[in-house]
Amino acid sequence: MTRFEELFLPHLKAAYNLARWLTDNDSAAQDVVQESAFRAVKFLHRFDGGNPKAWFLTIVRNESYNWLKAAARQGAVAFDEACGEDEPALADGRTPEWQLIQGQEAAQLQQALLALAPVFREVIVLKELEDMPYKDIAKIVDIPLGTVMSRLARARSMLRQQLQKSRP
Amino acid sequence: MIHAIDCKTCRAWLHGYLDNELETNAAAEVAEHLHHCAECAGEYADARRLVAQLKAHLPYHQAPAGLARRLRASIEAPASPPAGLLQRWLGPGGRRWLAPGFSTLALTLSLVLYLAAPSAERPWLDEAVSSHVRSLMVDHLNDVVSSDRHTVKPWFTGKLDFAPPVFDFSQQGYVLLGGRLDYLQQQSTAALTYGHGRHLINLFILPTADADAAAQNLSLRGYNLVAWRRNHLRFILVSDLEQGELAALGQLIQKDL
């Protein structure tokens, strides 16, 4: 087993989940993970021996933003909206069948979170889905530790407003 | 002496308090404030409700089945450069030991245990970690999928020359997911899988001629392990679960043996 495999493949699921939430697009998320893996291998010598998951997700996050910027340039997706309504992978996620399977609750939460800008969406994904400590989130998102707390506070409050909108 | 904080400070710290990220003093001040201020307490309850809802229902996007395979095929990673000796011992998760929350004593103790681990054990532990990683990577976690130990245990009959004890600790939060046949050091091994939150745990069980040995908590290549021998069976728990929680599962199993 190569060093890359043992360090980063275990975090593939987290990598895909983060990329998918940020790009809101299945094939883009797969591309982002693939590109991130290449970069992780290429820059393996820079890995400081700390938390491999945080290191890998830092790359995945940057690559996701690169994709969003490129998509925005092409006019396919507004950078801060990342809607891409015409993507089949995305459309699947909103069919009534999917809602039935995942439950009304999940569909509402998904919609509300996607309405948030990526900088707020990512802290929610890293905290609530990956259960990461603030220090790892600070590293991945590249903000000071104290800002993690205030950004999470804002993200959660915006999310609550979104949910209230969808449940009149 | 706790001095009172105002609502503004309380709101600023509320989410750190909720996430258990505040220092003891600050956490105590928030708790004190919430005790007296109904408005902030309401805000806190709302935030808590939202977090609980998110943790329970927010979809986790599962990576497509073939992604890991495609990635491995496309990346021909160069051989790993030799790591520093200490780094090698501690593994990539070594630093985590230095994180606050672990007392110096625990650190010293686990280091001593680790370094004192007879080198004969090392290949088993190494292979257990590799097998754990592989089981997550290749989407081959279980041959028999069941949370019922009366389904899982008989499944091994005829496949192994020993009867692995199968436990269910779903009451304690460690849910049996299933089992599979695995090999460690070319020996047939029972691998039981457990889920705890979002963490997966592999428990390897195989016969050994060696004498009983008390449980050791170790960290290897970023994973935590608990290994012991009892009644001529070798037990190895592997997970990315926090060491304390993994050790707790180890204790539950040993109590039932």
Side-chain angles (χ1 to χ4, degrees):
Chain A
M1 196 182 290
T2 65
R3 188 140 180 266
F4 171 80
E5 285 181 10
E6 70 186 47
L7 283 180
F8 303 115
L9 275 190
H11 308 302
L12 198 63
K13 288 174 186 181
Y16 177 81
N17 182 51
L18 177 62
R20 176 68 194 268
W21 271 112
L22 283 175
T23 62
D24 189 19
N25 179 317
D26 170 55
S27 70
Q30 294 199 44
D31 289 350
V32 162
V33 172
Q34 183 106 7
E35 182 59 33
S36 304
F38 275 121
R39 299 189 75 83
V41 170
K42 195 170 160 194
F43 298 111
L44 198 56
H45 59 279
R46 288 195 202 157
F47 175 56
D48 58 5
N51 182 338
K53 184 174 177 179
W55 196 76
F56 192 35
L57 290 188
T58 305
I59 302 175
V60 170
R61 184 220 179 230
N62 290 339
E63 286 305 315
S64 298
Y65 276 84
N66 285 341
W67 183 89
L68 284 175
K69 279 179 205 153
R73 265 199 304 275
Q74 287 166 14
V77 173
F79 178 57
D80 55 351
E81 285 171 22
C83 28
E85 213 67 58
D86 48 358
E87 282 295 330
L90 170 80
D92 283 347
R94 303 232 174 100
T95 60
E97 272 171 327
W98 183 88
Q99 291 195 3
L100 258 180
I101 296 166
Q102 294 294 315
Q104 193 67 26
E105 183 104 47
Q108 268 177 352
L109 288 173
Q110 164 141 353
Q111 224 165 20
L113 185 54
L114 286 175
L116 264 53
V119 289
F120 295 108
R121 211 185 300 157
E122 65 193 1
V123 290
I124 295 284
V125 170
L126 294 172
K127 184 67 225 167
E128 321 298 8
L129 288 180
E130 295 300 339
D131 210 9
M132 295 191 106
Y134 284 8
K135 69 171 168 51
D136 289 347
I137 298 176
K139 196 176 164 191
I140 294 168
V141 178
D142 197 24
I143 50 177
L145 196 60
T147 312
V148 176
M149 183 160 72
S150 53
R151 191 163 297 175
L152 259 173
R154 276 199 68 191
R156 284 171 177 159
S157 123
M158 286 158 75
L159 204 48
R160 259 165 55 201
Q161 284 168 11
Q162 282 295 333
L163 287 169
Q164 272 158 12
K165 260 195 246 169
S166 64
R167 290 169 198 164
Chain B
M1 169 69 199
I2 292 171
H3 47 88
I5 53 170
D6 58 9
C7 288
K8 196 173 161 229
T9 311
C10 179
R11 297 294 169 95
W13 290 354
L14 203 59
H15 290 263
Y17 179 72
L18 176 61
D19 294 324
N20 256 326
E21 293 268 0
L22 289 189
E23 286 174 17
T24 324
N25 286 346
E29 285 174 27
V30 172
E32 175 71 13
H33 184 90
L34 290 178
H35 196 64
H36 296 295
C37 174
E39 214 174 310
C40 287
E43 180 76 18
Y44 177 61
D46 284 347
R48 257 182 75 166
R49 218 173 3 251
L50 175 74
V51 166
Q53 200 185 355
L54 288 170
K55 284 195 194 297
H57 300 292
L58 188 64
Y60 194 103
H61 293 295
Q62 296 301 330
L67 187 60
R69 259 188 300 280
R70 279 202 301 283
L71 219 59
R72 264 210 317 277
S74 67
I75 291 174
E76 287 170 359
S80 56
L85 194 56
L86 184 63
Q87 189 56 48
R88 252 194 144 87
W89 275 343
L90 289 173
R95 249 202 201 170
R96 239 182 309 155
W97 286 105
L98 304 177
F102 286 98
S103 70
T104 319
L105 180 66
L107 172 67
T108 319
L109 199 64
S110 51
L111 269 180
V112 167
L113 281 175
Y114 189 84
L115 298 178
S119 53
E121 291 294 310
R122 185 56 197 261
W124 294 102
L125 304 175
D126 257 328
E127 267 206 47
V129 171
S130 295
S131 176
H132 173 77
V133 174
R134 223 176 299 126
S135 75
L136 302 178
M137 245 156 43
V138 297
D139 303 311
H140 180 173
L141 194 57
N142 293 312
D143 290 325
V144 52
V145 180
S146 173
S147 59
D148 181 1
R149 63 198 195 94
H150 301 295
T151 306
V152 176
K153 191 176 165 72
W155 181 85
F156 284 108
T157 313
K159 297 183 180 72
L160 294 169
D161 54 1
F162 66 101
V166 178
F167 322 89
D168 176 28
F169 296 112
S170 47
Q171 294 284 322
Q172 290 87 348
Y174 302 88
V175 183
L176 180 66
L177 300 175
R180 70 175 186 282
L181 202 57
D182 211 317
Y183 296 91
L184 293 185
Q185 303 270 299
Q186 281 105 45
Q187 271 195 48
S188 307
T189 303
L192 300 175
T193 56
Y194 291 89
H196 184 72
R198 291 183 194 284
H199 301 275
L200 277 166
I201 305 160
N202 265 292
L203 169 61
F204 299 97
I205 308 174
L206 71 164
T208 175
D210 296 338
D212 287 5
Q216 291 188 1
N217 299 328
L218 317 151
S219 175
L220 205 57
R221 307 205 309 249
Y223 290 93
N224 289 318
L225 294 91
V226 181
W228 71 95
R229 295 190 301 265
R230 176 84 75 86
N231 298 334
H232 295 292
L233 287 177
R234 180 190 295 277
F235 296 81
I236 306 173
L237 279 167
V238 190
S239 181
D240 60 349
L241 187 64
E242 190 249 314
Q243 184 79 67
E245 292 185 280
L246 193 64
L249 175 60
Q251 276 159 12
L252 285 172
I253 296 169
Q254 290 175 69
K255 226 169 54 193
D256 268 27
L257 281 175

